[in-house]
Amino acid sequence: MEQDSKIITITFSENESKDAMKFMEKHRKCCQKILGKPVFSTTGGGFSYIITPTGLGNCIIIKCNSCGKEKDITDISNW
């Protein structure tokens, strides 16, 4: 069975990008403290984004994969 592949792109607002960068800066040292490693991995993976589409816009959560903390960075002013 052949499926049509589609590309999904998510664009962050300036506020969402700033909030994500602040969160990553705050959690940059989690790997060293929690996992005892200098970096999460050589290919990244220290952070995940959880995107939940709604009828109004996308809810965006960033998660630190070392300590498990999450932050909602959704900028609803773009909806």
Side-chain angles (χ1 to χ4, degrees), residues 8-22:
I8 297 173
T9 58
I10 303 293
T11 303
F12 289 7
S13 72
E14 187 174 334
N15 288 337
E16 290 164 339
S17 294
K18 285 179 183 178
D19 286 348
M21 294 303 290
K22 286 179 191 175

Side-chain angles (χ1 to χ4, degrees), residues 30-60:
C30 284
C31 278
Q32 293 172 341
K33 291 178 189 171
I34 294 170
L35 303 177
K37 300 186 329 185
V39 293
F40 190 81
S41 80
T42 56
T43 59
F47 299 94
S48 296
Y49 291 96
I50 303 162
I51 312 295
T52 306
T54 73
L56 300 173
N58 293 320
C59 293
I60 304 170

